[in-house]
Structure formats: C-alpha cells, structure tokens
Amino acid sequence: MLPFSYTISMSTYIAPSILAADFGNLERDCKMVNDSQADWFHIDIMDGVFVPNISFGMPVLKAIGETATKPLDVHLMIVDPDRYISTFSTLNAAVLTVHYEACTHLHRTIQNIKQHQMLAGVALNPHTPVALLESIIKDLDLVCLMSVNPGFGGQSFIEETYAKVVALKKMITEQGASTKIEIDGGVTDQNAAQLVACGADILVAGSFVFKAKDPLGTIANLKKITA
Ligand code: DX5
Ligand code: ZN
C-alpha cells in the first residue's frame, strides 16, 4: 500500500485503536476513522500467550484493510513474531511493531520487517527500560512505549511513562536517529499535551475515541491539543 520511502511527518499523529471499536459495526467504525482527522489505524494483534487476551487475526485485519484509507499501524502482542512478518506485509501493514520482550534476535527481526517494505517498530512493556534500545535505536522507525500493561483496552495511564518518553527522546537526539515515539494505552485529553511536550510523536487512543459520544470530535480535539 505504501512505498518504502514512506516517512512519518513532523506533526503529532493520532492513531485510533480498533480494539475499542464495535466489532458488530466494524465497517462503520473504520469509515468514521477514514472521515476523521486521525492519521493511522492502530491494530492490536494478541495471541493469548504473550498477553492474557486474544483479539483478532488475519481475516479481520484483511477486512479492516479493505475499508481503511489510512495506513495500518500493526502492533503485534505475540510470541515469535518472525513467523508472520511476511503475512502482515501481504495484508498491507505500513508499520509493524514487535515487542522487545518477545524477540530473542531483535536485530534480525527488524531487518526482516524492513526487507518486507514496512516501517519497523519495537514496543516496550511498562517495566522495560528504554536504555535497552541503545544499540538498535538507529535501526528503528518507531518505538512504542506501552503506557498500560498490554492485553486490554480501557486501562489507566501509567504516569512513569512521561519520564520514559523524555529518556527515549534524549537517546534519539544524542544518536542522531530519526525514530518516532508512539504512546499506547490510557491516552486521553488529560495526558496528550504533556506526552507531546515530553517528545511523543504518535498517540494511540482506543477507549477514549470509540467510547466517546462524539468520536469524530474527540479525534479533532486530540489533534488540536497536540498541534
Ligand atoms: C493494549 C493495546 C492498546 C489499546 C489501547 O494492549 O495495545 O492499543 O487498544 O486502548 P486504550 O486507549 O483504551 O487504553
Ligand atoms: Zn496497541
């Protein structure tokens, strides 16, 4: 779907998490994201092993991709993600993010994602220090800092995340890397501006968008307060 030269622009991106959509009305909710000011679709794939929950898999991602007109930002919460890199490429993922905690040979996995013409991301669980990425940061298009424990939507934002964003931004700047910082979990209008002030580039928002009375207005407001 996207050329390999695809790059993330300078403005703050909002990525609604489809996990919080109404799966009985998935096409309607995808069209809402198309019509909104959102930048990406955030897609959470959970295997019931890496995280204590199972979300959805390839057939559902295929259906989302048939309606979505914006890039698919796929967040793999699965063990041994190398098994499926080629499949997610075929399903038009623009960004493929794997968990640091799920990859024994992270460097090899990242190169594999890039060879499949996707942007490569690494997600860190709340307890995983950003310093562990020092030797690979220059190879990463994106780091996803989990601001909740992965597995479920609708959890409360972990405040320690702000300090992790600052530390990660410092590492990126010091190494001259172009890596973008994504925040995932518990994002609302109460923490969005501060996250961007700390250095965040992409905010994932699930429940806050889809459970709102006015999802379109909620996305517009998130864009406004992070501009
Ligand atoms: C959690 C997922 C998140 C989740 C965010 O494991 O990775 O993307 O959907 O949902 P909210 O915004 O409701 O915390
Ligand atoms: Zn996610």
Side-chain angles (χ1 to χ4, degrees), residues 15-20 42-46 51 53 75 77 99 144 146-157 183-188 204-209 211:
S17 172
I18 294 299
L19 186 66
H42 185 81
I43 314 283
D44 291 305
I45 307 287
M46 305 177 183
V51 287
N53 195 14
H75 175 195
M77 285 160 275
H99 264 265
C144 175
M146 292 307 301
S147 39
V148 299
N149 285 294
F152 302 92
Q155 303 180 80
S156 299
F157 179 82
I183 309 299
D184 188 6
V187 170
T188 69
V204 174
S207 310
F208 187 65
V209 165
K211 310 298 181 210

Side-chain angles (χ1 to χ4, degrees), residues 18-179:
I18 294 299
L19 186 66
D22 176 354
F23 288 173
N25 291 286
L26 194 50
E27 186 177 20
R28 179 201 67 192
D29 283 2
C30 287
K31 284 181 175 167
M32 183 281 292
V33 176
N34 286 345
D35 294 340
S36 77
Q37 291 181 41
D39 300 277
W40 286 353
F41 283 76
H42 185 81
I43 314 283
D44 291 305
I45 307 287
M46 305 177 183
D47 67 356
V49 179
F50 181 69
V51 287
N53 195 14
I54 298 173
S55 56
F56 51 80
M58 285 60 171
V60 175
L61 176 57
K62 184 167 180 284
I64 294 168
E66 280 162 7
T67 298
T69 57
K70 296 176 181 180
L72 304 178
D73 168 34
V74 178
H75 175 195
L76 299 184
M77 285 160 275
I78 66 175
V79 297
D80 200 4
D82 299 70
R83 291 172 295 166
Y84 300 110
I85 288 172
S86 159
T87 305
F88 284 107
S89 158
T90 307
L91 289 167
N92 287 327
V95 185
L96 196 64
T97 295
V98 296
H99 264 265
Y100 177 88
E101 303 84 2
C103 296
T104 308
H105 301 286
L106 184 62
H107 186 275
R108 178 181 292 148
T109 303
I110 292 303
Q111 303 313 319
N112 194 0
I113 294 171
K114 290 180 167 183
Q115 279 157 15
H116 283 86
Q117 279 74 47
M118 295 176 285
L119 296 185
V122 170
L124 298 183
N125 280 338
H127 73 274
T128 304
V130 297
L132 291 171
L133 296 177
E134 262 171 22
S135 301
I136 199 167
I137 194 74
K138 281 184 175 165
D139 287 320
L140 305 181
D141 295 303
L142 177 153
V143 173
C144 175
L145 294 179
M146 292 307 301
S147 39
V148 299
N149 285 294
F152 302 92
Q155 303 180 80
S156 299
F157 179 82
I158 297 172
E159 300 278 325
E160 179 64 20
T161 308
Y162 295 122
K164 290 181 77 173
V165 182
V166 171
L168 179 58
K169 185 73 183 176
K170 185 165 177 275
M171 181 196 300
I172 291 167
T173 306
E174 282 177 358
Q175 293 205 31
S178 53
T179 318

